[in-house]
Amino acid sequence: EGAKQAIEMFAGDTYVGLDARSLDPAEMDWADRHFRILSGLYGLLRPRDVIEPHRLEMGTRLATRRGKSLYDFWGDRIARALRAEAEALGTGVLLNCASTEYFTAADRPALGLRVVTPRFLEDHPDGPRVMSLWAKRARGAMARFAIQNRIVDPDDLKGFQSGGYRYQPEMSGPD
């Protein structure tokens, strides 16, 4: 009864930055082929997958026959699914805009892909630091940038500018 497309179901700060409701149909088509949502309950979702409303954080301790947490439950299945999708798209690179909590569910050895993970830092008197709320929104904005610009080459992410964030070569590595 309350089922909706996955992209409409999530409303956290990352999804505020993504602002998926304003993507045009062609952008949503591209997102459905290239963008994935990690879910504690469903695992890996396409934006248009229809799901039931739920609240289950990936970091939740939940005993199952596979272990004591959702990380144990998912094991390497999320990573293998991401790798299979990357192979189908002909790429060896994954842009990770997920939180550490969620991306931990993608077993890195099983993933077998180059992972590009942006870090969004704020100027602070004690040195650059992550400000959680703004970093979450910026991760969503970067996902939106990748969708709208059909980015498949990680170097093209260097053109991202939103919310006062921009690429800083002196503070960045290749990933």
Side-chain angles (χ1 to χ4, degrees):
E1 186 175 303
K4 293 182 183 176
Q5 290 182 341
I7 200 75
E8 296 173 0
M9 192 64 70
F10 300 100
D13 292 314
T14 302
Y15 293 92
V16 169
L18 176 61
D19 190 20
R21 294 178 195 270
S22 67
L23 294 172
D24 68 35
E27 291 165 341
M28 280 302 300
D29 288 344
W30 195 89
D32 223 40
R33 290 188 309 277
H34 295 87
F35 177 76
R36 295 295 174 263
I37 299 167
L38 296 174
S39 164
L41 181 61
Y42 291 98
L44 196 61
L45 295 164
R46 287 180 169 80
R48 291 181 173 145
D49 286 346
V50 176
I51 61 172
E52 293 291 329
H54 67 283
R55 179 79 178 170
L56 182 62
E57 300 294 328
M58 189 63 81
T60 301
R61 297 193 62 74
L62 180 68
T64 69
R65 60 186 146 97
R66 291 189 181 147
K68 297 179 181 178
S69 70
L70 289 175
Y71 302 119
D72 294 335
F73 175 79
W74 288 111
D76 68 352
R77 290 182 294 167
I78 289 173
R80 286 186 293 118
L82 285 167
R83 186 178 65 220
E85 294 208 14
E87 288 171 1
L89 290 170
T91 186
V93 180
L94 175 73
L95 170 61
N96 170 29
C97 291
S99 68
T100 301
E101 173 189 1
Y102 277 80
F103 200 67
T104 299
D107 179 77
R108 291 297 286 270
L111 187 60
L113 299 171
R114 175 182 171 201
V115 178
V116 176
T117 303
R119 288 189 52 215
F120 297 97
L121 303 171
E122 298 276 334
D123 286 333
H124 190 271
D126 296 329
R129 61 173 51 165
V130 173
M131 302 301 286
S132 182
L133 169 70
W134 303 117
K136 289 175 185 178
R137 289 186 179 176
R139 288 196 312 266
M142 177 161 280
R144 179 184 183 83
F145 176 79
I147 291 167
Q148 289 186 308
N149 293 284
R150 314 304 199 269
I151 293 187
V152 294
D153 181 344
D155 282 339
D156 293 340
L157 295 169
K158 294 174 183 176
F160 173 80
Q161 291 188 34
S162 180
Y165 295 105
R166 67 187 187 294
Y167 177 66
Q168 298 282 325
E170 66 281 358
M171 297 175 74
S172 300
D175 295 336

